[in-house]
Amino acid sequence: MAEVKRLRRGLAGLCTAGALVVLTACSGSSTPGTGGSSTAASSLTDATNVKRGGTLTIAESSPFPMDPAMASPPFVLAAAYDSLIHQNVDNTYSPDLATSWSMSDGNRLFKLKLRKGVKFSDGTAMTADTVAASLKRIVKTPGPNGSIGPVKSVTAVGDDEVDVAYSKAVPESFAVNTFSQADNFGIIVGPTGTAKPSTLSKASDGVGPYKLDPSQSNSSKTTFIPNANYFNQKAIKFDKVVVTQIPDATARVNALRSGQVDYVFDDGTANAASAQSAGLQISQHGSLLPSLVLENRTSGPLAKLEVRQAIEYAVDRSAMIKSLFSGIGTAQSSVGIKGLGGYDKKNSDPYPYNVAKAKALLKKAGYPNGLTISTLDFSQQDANGSLAQAFASQLKAVGITLKIHVISTGFTQFLTAISSKKYDAVVTNLPGNDIYTEYNQFLGKGTVGNGFGVVDSTVDQLMTAAGTASASEEDTAMQAITNRIDQQAWIVSAGVIPTIDLAAKNLVNIAPDGSPNSQPYAFDPTAKSSWYLK
């Protein structure tokens, strides 16, 4: 079984999702492995009147940034930092630090009305000015914030309104999502942390149900305690939230089985069977696209559409899902994700496995005897090179050789290698998003999926059309983007693979199976879907 880790959301600070841990397995309705008596996550329980108590312990594989501008996904930091809009586990949205919002000026102006009487954890009042300052920092700060869109300006209006203007129209659903806890942009930091981000490692500065306790934290453990200034004390369900670092995947699962931890997130499939046999809760949600990204579409073999489409047809996705992900996943060749904007059910598999067709396209393109593609892989995402080797094995059948170069020194080096234009293709794990967000983060010029800076004028026009579409027209407009990207064969995915989360039997309200969100949401400002221990 492969252990592949997802890219965290964003551009400049794009990195692997090794920070938070659970099994990154896959999609579908079955639980991983065979045998045992694991419990699949089901519907949520109203936690409004559940009393506070106990310690929630979450296992991580490695340290995570304490600055929300640099942490992505910001799941753990949601303990100490609320967002302007709350994304619910079913992908709907509710008020949080903003009580209402609206889009106007042809989808170029987003207005947020702020909740009154809110204080940061240090007692400082939240105002339009403090919120605007926090948003402006994200616009200027390099980090995993490529999804914020073409923000032109951020303006405080009076005491309780913030207006965000865009240089060009964006879909309303895209804007709403960027102001939720699913993205760094909408996570608000107080004036102290905004002015001096270095202080955030010692003292959190947010509006969240908990706050960092440095006296109980060290290099291997981070502790959050209840925030007495939080505006909804009923939403605080734990006496303490502890995030502990356990680098080894097997050790994390063993810690969960023994009761040392309550939760692990996004950690590969290798331990799925043992977790199931232990009767742990298993939640399949969100999505991941393990992919071979065809980067060099400007020159050489991959500049020819027939070659790229041949590669698509040469991949047996069902076989890859079976060998890499315990057979759990959806074998489709489209980049559109079910449940998210741009998914087109009628065109979900434009390139079904067909070796004969792949060979015919290669011959038509002038490569009857095959070709070689220089390919970049990143060991921190693709443990043991399993994903890269699986693609190589598939393509060998049609005469295509992947010459694989592995980066193992760090993520910065990986990004540098992508932008060097030395590699025709990149093996990576793209997180599933609506197609507008996916293009902004991972496929547009200068992103991890477009190191050669290829510009497709048709996609640009379709992105503009999606930005100006009405709410009722939005999904159709996004489907057109998906279909164009699929037709041009930029992304050769192994299929759609969800996150698998594991939790202790007594942890309530982990994400139900089938939720489209990749992040688990432990903290709810309304308290209704907050996690709690029973």
Side-chain angles (χ1 to χ4, degrees), residues 34 48 57 99 101 140 173 200 204 353 361 378 443 457 504 510:
T34 57
T48 304
T57 304
T99 55
W101 53 88
K140 297 177 181 178
S173 63
L200 297 174
S204 57
Y353 182 50
L361 284 167
F378 183 39
L443 303 179
S457 59
I510 65 170

Side-chain angles (χ1 to χ4, degrees), residues 103-109 168-170 467-469:
M103 180 70 91
S104 59
D105 191 24
N107 286 11
R108 289 178 173 83
L109 182 63
K168 62 180 181 180
V170 300
T468 57

